[in-house]
Amino acid sequence: MASVSQSTTFIVLIFFFSFIFIPTTHAVPFIVLHGIGDKCSNRGITQFTKQLSDWSNSQGYCLEIGDGSWDSWTMPLFEQVKSMSELGKGYNIVGLSQGNLIGQGIIEFCDGGPPVKNFISLGGPHAGTASIPFCGSTVICILLDSLLKLEIYSDYVQEHLAPSGYLKIPTDMSNYLEGCRFLPKLNNEINGSRNSTYKERFSSLQNLVLIMFEDDTILIPKETAWFGYYPEGAFRPVLPVQETMFYKEDWIGLRTLDEAGKVKFVNVSGNHLRISKSDMKKYMVPYLKDQTSTEQRVTEPSSYGEWLSRLWYIFKDLIGLNEDQPLLHTMY
């Protein structure tokens, strides 16, 4: 009888603490910006957004990215961010591959928008890429790249091929700086035209999490996810970001953030965007729920279904169910 009584008491205490001592959460919402060739309605992106939302107890929104020209990819997002009342007090950004450049653009270019607190970048071509990202390093891709590179900085290609906005050929830097319409502006690379507002806005981030994939075959080089890149005039070696003029002269405030301990350089196993659930929890979730307080108050789930869902995720966390199976299967 004593053991039954103890079990009953234990169950009652679980229910009591689940209602009374749930921390009050003030987690700000987050937006997910997907990569090229993907869309918010795809199963992987939907599950990815929901999983992060469930783990962090913060509301997540996937914002759709447009039709291919850079203006239509960025300007509508600016307006969406400004008009979403849920983001009014600030929000976090989770970027996937090319979506990270859109996220960086929102931070730097968006006038009058709500503040971005944390920026989590998965496999972002932040310093550019030396290969069309949906291709790679096969013989066919090399031929395609060669053809594109002949006219990659022309007005027509820049207007109609989104990756041309961040294709950076280290042996053709003069044409890159003159003809590439997006990345040189985004990274304040044009001497004499550097915008202090971009630097001020980017360096205002609370945290910048840069996740590089150890076996990435899409980004050339993979270190671009950490803002590392080739030296001007050559394809080797890959320079760590700290050895670049971009960092040393602090063109967008990355060094300022880094010296303040606000940049997290994360290296995970796997190919492009193939992040495991355990790595998502370890490297991403803490920056989506960092506004949680320890205040104790009566907090009830809004519905019976939500309560069951919460218990289910607690159970999965305890047993480590499917921790190392990646949610995302997109390659761009």
Side-chain angles (χ1 to χ4, degrees):
M1 292 296 292
S3 61
V4 173
S5 176
Q6 289 176 351
S7 298
T8 303
T9 302
F10 180 71
I11 293 172
V12 170
L13 285 174
I14 289 177
F15 275 82
F16 176 77
F17 281 105
S18 69
F19 281 98
I20 303 300
F21 294 102
I22 294 175
T24 302
T25 58
H26 302 285
V28 298
F30 65 90
I31 63 171
V32 173
L33 301 172
H34 63 72
I36 188 173
D38 210 344
K39 56 184 177 181
C40 289
S41 59
N42 281 351
R43 185 169 178 265
I45 295 294
T46 301
Q47 290 183 335
F48 176 79
T49 305
K50 184 179 186 304
Q51 193 82 84
L52 286 177
S53 186
D54 288 333
W55 284 334
S56 65
N57 198 29
S58 59
Q59 184 61 53
Y61 305 89
C62 180
L63 296 191
E64 195 56 79
I65 296 176
D67 61 10
S69 70
W70 278 107
D71 281 343
S72 66
W73 282 40
T74 56
M75 295 307 294
L77 284 174
F78 292 169
E79 298 307 319
Q80 286 184 55
V81 166
K82 288 182 183 180
S83 64
M84 291 180 66
S85 60
E86 298 90 346
L87 308 181
K89 294 182 179 180
Y91 64 102
N92 300 318
I93 290 178
V94 176
L96 304 175
S97 195
Q98 180 178 269
N100 287 294
L101 300 184
I102 306 300
Q104 188 179 332
I106 289 175
I107 294 168
E108 295 180 23
F109 303 156
C110 188
D111 294 320
V116 178
K117 298 181 180 295
N118 298 319
F119 182 17
I120 303 173
S121 165
L122 282 79
H126 290 288
T129 184
S131 173
I132 296 297
F134 50 75
C135 201
S137 55
T138 65
V139 174
I140 294 177
C141 290
I142 292 172
L143 291 174
L144 177 60
D145 282 350
S146 298
L147 291 173
L148 288 172
K149 288 169 187 174
L150 292 175
E151 297 292 338
I152 195 66
Y153 301 126
S154 68
D155 289 342
Y156 181 83
V157 175
Q158 287 290 309
E159 290 173 0
H160 293 88
L161 183 64
S164 68
Y166 54 92
L167 187 67
K168 186 176 182 179
I169 311 304
T171 54
D172 194 15
M173 289 299 294
S174 59
N175 283 326
Y176 162 75
L177 292 172
E178 181 179 349
C180 189
R181 294 187 178 183
F182 191 73
L183 193 65
K185 178 181 179 182
L186 186 71
N187 283 343
N188 254 344
E189 295 180 83
I190 303 174
N191 191 23
S193 301
R194 296 191 177 114
N195 191 313
S196 61
T197 300
Y198 300 165
K199 177 178 177 179
E200 179 183 351
R201 289 172 177 169
F202 192 77
S203 61
S204 70
L205 288 168
Q206 293 178 5
N207 290 284
L208 173 63
V209 182
L210 300 173
I211 299 177
M212 178 178 72
F213 292 86
E214 181 63 30
D215 304 310
D216 200 325
T217 58
I218 301 300
L219 299 184
I220 309 296
K222 66 183 180 183
E223 291 83 0
T224 185
W226 286 359
F227 284 92
Y229 209 67
Y230 303 113
E232 184 172 347
F235 280 89
R236 62 174 62 90
V238 178
L239 297 178
V241 64
Q242 292 82 1
E243 296 181 14
T244 65
M245 295 305 294
F246 165 82
Y247 182 92
K248 292 177 180 179
E249 296 184 355
D250 208 19
W251 292 347
I252 65 168
L254 182 64
R255 193 185 75 183
T256 298
L257 285 172
D258 192 22
E259 291 177 347
K262 296 181 178 180
V263 182
K264 322 300 177 186
F265 294 98
V266 178
N267 188 10
V268 299
S269 61
N271 206 334
H272 192 60
L273 299 186
R274 300 283 291 181
I275 189 166
S276 67
K277 292 182 180 180
S278 57
D279 282 340
M280 287 169 63
K281 286 185 178 182
K282 183 176 181 180
Y283 299 117
M284 300 177 66
V285 171
Y287 301 99
L288 299 178
K289 63 176 184 180
D290 62 350
Q291 302 299 311
T292 303
S293 77
T294 56
E295 177 187 354
Q296 295 178 352
R297 55 177 283 188
V298 175
T299 306
E300 297 185 11
S302 60
S303 69
Y304 178 70
E306 181 183 334
W307 201 91
L308 287 177
S309 177
R310 186 178 298 171
L311 285 181
W312 171 240
Y313 281 107
I314 291 173
F315 173 71
K316 288 203 294 185
D317 289 347
L318 289 174
I319 65 174
L321 185 61
N322 293 329
E323 283 296 289
D324 295 317
Q325 294 185 5
L327 284 174
L328 294 169
H329 298 279
T330 54
M331 295 302 293
Y332 315 128

